[in-house]
């Protein structure tokens, strides 16, 4: 006689959670594809800021002996700026307050009832968001940059695959950081303060405003190894600009992988601690 | 008088609501100052890397960033929150504002006056003061008047840009970040001497839109330098004349927008 246990579906637990994850990624993607006008508006703004930043860095290069500030030649600087403007929306440093809002309003209770942990389900939705941004927001600034400035094109075969891996890791790291920042609302109720600090710190120390290599070496290295921030933008941008030799170029991605693991672990830990003390507010 | 009391009540309610979460407010106060601090650090880091950028030394560049950030921080605190207009339009909250017997713009601003941005204004003026101290300025009555007027004119100019950008929400609710290109973009543009920009980009932002007169031209006049781009010395004193039409245009756009506004009716 067949003594198998009754199962609801014939797919194993791994297949089923992978399917769930995929569905969540898809829903994150679709959610952003409805804001078409916002996509155009955002690209326009990224392009204006690209002109600003690129002009300033090229003027800097013209003022430095040898025209290579922090080891970037002018074409590498232009690539750094324009790929950075394309990546901004993909990495999604700013503007995510969804979790904090749900904690503040008490809606988080509904998320906790679901069989998938909030860290996993928000990560899936964020990957969907990033994929949508990669398809719509990455290209326009890059095209504008290529039209108006000479860009550095990758010369090594491994650069593009490394860059893509680096972007995926940056998205995961950025998600983890934002999750932890938002999760401070479990303790503070209103997470606007930490979110402001994050917005400021991540832009400057992530390498958006200027390449961090312009700072003293000891400071840059401390930032790379001591914080996840340079892994957000500086890492993928250094990879695509081919600022370093092949070994260091790959090394930057290894550092990112390390930070992705650490940051996700911290997010999961914070979530578990919060659930133990959570008092859901009414309303 | 009655109007004033009403505005005071709006402001009082807002002040009490932010002070409810005291720790959070303190962090925000410091965080917001950080925004301006990082802008200044960025300029310092870049100008430290080369003896001159765009023909300006570090000390001279700090003067442009000081003028720009003092004016911008003032405008951002007083008027910057008008960019929440799109939220009000979408949520229908603007209706509540329009039915009250007070002008809509001051109400909107007082409903959400960002007290957390106060330290930013202080810091902006500290940078300006520092810049005036480290540069060798030959003080004349005209230059003293210029220092007093420039940040105010800059604030009026940035304030107008804020209002115009936000008014887009009357026609185009999903205008998203487009206004930021001109508000925060304008701030970044004016933080550097405009000699660093390429010709047509400079022509557009600096002269067509008028951003050159926020900080660059006044800084040249204060330093007693001739404009490498060829404008006469009097250009340094034109910022109030550039701010005035900006304010008039902004008021016009705002009024047209309000008349154009159709409630969602929910």
């Amino acid at each position: 006689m067949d003594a198998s246990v009754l199962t609801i579906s014939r797919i194993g637990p791994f297949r089923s959670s992978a399917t769930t994850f995929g569905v969540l990624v898809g829903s994150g993607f679709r959610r952003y594809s409805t804001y078409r006008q916002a996509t155009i508006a955002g690209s326009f703004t990224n392009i204006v800021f690209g002109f600003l930043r690129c002009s300033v860095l090229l003027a800097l290069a013209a003022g430095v002996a040898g025209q290579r500030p922090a080891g970037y030649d002018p074409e590498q600087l232009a690539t750094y700026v324009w790929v950075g403007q394309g990546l901004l929306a993909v990495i999604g440093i700013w503007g995510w307050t969804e979790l904090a809002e749900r904690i503040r309003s008490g809606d988080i209770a509904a998320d906790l009832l679901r069989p998938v942990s909030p860290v996993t389900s928000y990560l899936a939705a964020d990957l969907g968001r990033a994929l949508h941004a990669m398809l719509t927001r990455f290209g326009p600034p890059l095209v504008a940059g290529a039209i108006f400035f000479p860009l550095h094109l990758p010369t090594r075969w491994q650069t593009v695959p490394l860059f893509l891996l680096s972007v995926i890791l940056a998205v995961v790291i950025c998600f983890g950081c934002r999750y932890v920042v938002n999760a401070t609302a479990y303790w503070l109720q209103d997470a606007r303060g930490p979110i402001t600090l994050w917005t400021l710190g991540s832009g400057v120390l992530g390498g958006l405003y200027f390449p961090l290599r312009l700072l003293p070496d000891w400071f840059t290295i401390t930032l790379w190894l001591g914080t996840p921030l340079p892994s957000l933008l500086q890492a993928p941008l250094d990879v695509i600009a081919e600022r370093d030799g092949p070994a260091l170029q790959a090394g930057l991605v290894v550092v990112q992988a390390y930070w992705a693991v650490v940051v996700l672990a911290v997010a999961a830990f914070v979530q578990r601690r919060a659930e133990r003390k959570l008092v859901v507010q009414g309303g | 008088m009655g109007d004033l009391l009403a505005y005071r009540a709006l402001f009082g309610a807002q002040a009490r609501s932010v002070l409810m979460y005291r720790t959070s407010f303190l962090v925000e106060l410091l965080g917001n100052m950080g925004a301006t601090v990082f802008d200044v650090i960025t300029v310092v880091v870049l100008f430290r890397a080369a003896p001159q950028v765009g023909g300006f030394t570090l000390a001279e560049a700090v003067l442009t960033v000081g003028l720009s950030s003092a004016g911008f921080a003032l405008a951002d605190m007083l008027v910057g929150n008008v960019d929440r207009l799109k939220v009000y339009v979408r949520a229908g909250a603007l209706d509540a504002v329009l039915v009250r017997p007070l002008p809509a713009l001051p109400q909107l601003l007082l409903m959400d006056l960002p007290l957390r941005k106060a330290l930013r204004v202080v810091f902006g003026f500290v940078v300006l003061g520092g810049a005036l101290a480290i540069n060798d300025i030959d003080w004349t009555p005209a230059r003293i008047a210029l220092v007093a007027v420039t940040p105010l004119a800059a604030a009026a100019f940035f304030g107008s840009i804020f209002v115009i950008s936000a008014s887009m929400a009357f026609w185009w609710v999903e205008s998203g970040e487009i206004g930021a290109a001109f508000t925060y973009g304008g701030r970044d543009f004016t933080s550097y001497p405009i000699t660093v920009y390429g010709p047509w980009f400079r022509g557009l932002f600096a002269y067509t839109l008028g951003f050159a007169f926020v900080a660059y031209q006044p800084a040249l006049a204060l330093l007693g330098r001739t404009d490498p781009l060829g404008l006469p010395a009097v250009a340094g004193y034109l910022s109030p004349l550039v701010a005035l039409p900006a304010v008039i245009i902004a008021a016009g756009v705002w009024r047209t927008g309000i008349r154009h506004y159709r409630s969602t009716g929910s």
Side-chain angles (χ1 to χ4, degrees):
Chain A
M1 206 170 111
D2 193 349
S4 74
V5 182
L6 183 74
T7 51
I8 295 170
S9 98
R10 287 185 46 215
I11 344 175
F14 175 75
R15 277 277 295 282
S16 93
S17 54
T19 313
T20 314
F21 197 78
V23 169
L24 289 168
V25 170
S27 78
F29 183 94
R30 274 194 307 282
R31 174 172 167 195
Y32 283 87
S33 60
T34 53
Y35 302 127
R36 260 176 237 133
Q37 293 179 331
T39 302
I40 296 169
S43 295
F44 172 79
T45 303
N46 289 151
I47 290 171
V48 172
F49 276 92
F51 270 103
L52 282 164
R53 295 193 175 122
C54 200
S55 308
V56 171
L57 285 179
L58 291 181
L60 172 67
V64 174
Q67 306 227 335
R68 289 176 71 96
Y72 301 88
D73 67 30
E75 292 185 3
Q76 288 172 326
L77 282 175
T79 295
Y80 186 97
V81 169
W82 287 103
V83 176
Q85 291 306 112
L87 278 186
L88 262 181
V90 178
I91 311 287
I93 300 184
W94 298 318
W96 193 67
T97 55
E98 190 182 350
L99 180 69
E101 296 293 334
R102 288 181 72 81
I103 294 167
R104 197 159 71 98
S105 65
D107 291 342
I108 191 72
D111 295 345
L112 297 178
L113 292 173
R114 298 198 183 116
V116 187
S117 111
V119 178
T120 313
S121 63
Y122 281 111
L123 174 62
D126 200 57
L127 290 174
R129 180 202 59 73
L131 182 64
H132 177 259
M134 195 70 195
L135 297 178
T136 58
R137 296 287 295 273
F138 183 68
L142 215 54
V143 171
I147 291 172
F148 292 100
F149 296 88
L151 300 183
H152 171 85
L153 293 176
T155 54
R156 300 174 198 148
W157 65 267
Q158 74 273 38
T159 295
V160 171
L162 257 182
F163 171 70
L164 291 176
L165 178 61
S166 173
V167 170
I168 295 168
L169 288 169
V171 170
V172 171
I173 295 168
C174 186
F175 163 79
C177 293
R178 281 185 279 122
Y179 195 94
V180 173
V181 171
N182 269 258
T184 56
Y186 281 118
W187 288 270
L188 297 175
Q189 273 79 49
D190 182 359
R192 280 197 299 183
I195 288 173
T196 309
L197 284 181
W198 157 255
T199 307
L200 299 171
S202 56
V204 178
L205 302 178
L208 173 65
Y209 296 161
F210 52 84
L212 298 174
R213 294 311 212 337
L214 282 168
L215 298 167
D217 278 346
W218 62 267
F219 187 74
T220 316
I221 293 168
T222 314
L223 271 182
W224 272 108
L225 301 177
T227 78
L229 297 172
S231 297
L232 296 174
L233 274 168
Q234 175 89 32
L237 296 180
D238 277 350
V239 167
I240 196 72
E242 297 181 327
R243 152 77 170 66
D244 308 295
L248 188 50
Q249 190 186 24
L252 297 178
V253 181
V254 173
V255 173
Q256 279 188 297
Y258 159 75
W259 276 113
V261 171
V262 169
V263 168
L264 278 186
V266 170
F269 173 75
V270 166
Q271 179 62 32
R272 275 199 309 276
R273 286 300 295 260
E275 281 170 23
R276 261 197 270 159
K277 74 152 289 261
L278 181 68
V279 179
V280 173
Q281 307 194 38
Chain B
M1 189 63 207
D3 282 11
L4 272 184
L5 281 176
Y7 287 134
R8 224 185 74 183
L10 278 171
F11 176 70
Q14 155 69 9
R16 277 196 304 281
S17 83
V18 295
L19 293 174
M20 282 294 284
Y21 300 108
R22 204 152 296 167
T23 322
S24 197
F25 179 69
L26 274 178
V27 178
E28 271 192 281
L29 207 57
L30 291 173
N32 268 285
M33 186 174 84
T36 314
V37 173
F38 282 134
D39 287 341
V40 175
I41 289 177
T42 302
V43 175
V44 171
V45 167
L46 290 173
F47 275 77
R48 221 184 45 104
Q52 285 207 335
V53 180
F56 276 63
T57 62
L58 174 59
E60 291 167 334
V62 173
L63 184 57
T64 20
V65 73
L67 287 169
S68 161
S69 57
F72 182 85
L74 200 56
D76 190 25
M77 182 175 81
L78 297 175
V79 191
N81 259 31
V82 72
D83 66 5
R84 292 177 52 79
L85 180 69
K86 54 180 177 283
V87 181
Y88 295 136
V89 169
R90 192 180 296 139
L94 193 61
D95 297 16
V97 169
L98 289 176
V99 296
R100 294 184 197 141
L102 291 173
L105 186 55
Q107 274 193 71
L108 276 179
L109 298 178
L110 281 174
M111 260 163 62
D112 204 3
L113 187 73
L115 294 171
R116 59 183 184 277
K117 290 178 182 169
L119 275 188
R120 219 167 155 168
V121 178
V122 174
F123 183 77
F125 279 92
V126 168
V127 173
L128 178 56
L132 293 173
I134 58 173
N135 280 289
D136 186 20
I137 295 172
D138 177 19
W139 288 106
T140 61
R143 288 204 176 109
I144 292 170
L146 186 62
V147 165
V149 169
T150 301
L152 301 179
F157 186 82
F158 278 124
S160 310
I161 304 285
F162 269 115
V163 170
I164 296 169
S165 307
S167 298
M168 281 194 291
F170 286 122
W171 290 273
W172 188 16
V173 176
E174 288 299 334
S175 55
E177 304 164 27
I178 223 166
F182 300 100
T183 53
Y184 296 97
R187 178 201 60 194
D188 284 11
F189 184 89
T190 54
S191 294
Y192 298 92
I194 64 171
T195 44
V196 304
Y197 304 109
W200 71 264
F201 186 68
R202 179 169 66 213
L204 180 71
F205 256 77
Y207 298 111
T208 312
L209 298 178
F211 282 104
F213 301 93
V214 167
Y216 170 74
Q217 302 288 358
L220 287 177
L222 284 171
L223 295 166
R225 285 184 53 163
T226 50
D227 185 358
L229 302 170
L231 282 198
V234 69
Y237 294 86
L238 294 183
S239 60
L241 291 183
V242 176
L244 187 68
V247 170
I248 294 170
I249 293 170
V253 171
W254 176 263
R255 282 213 198 96
T256 318
I258 284 274
R259 273 203 295 273
H260 181 87
Y261 172 71
R262 296 272 177 282
S263 169
T264 46
S266 53

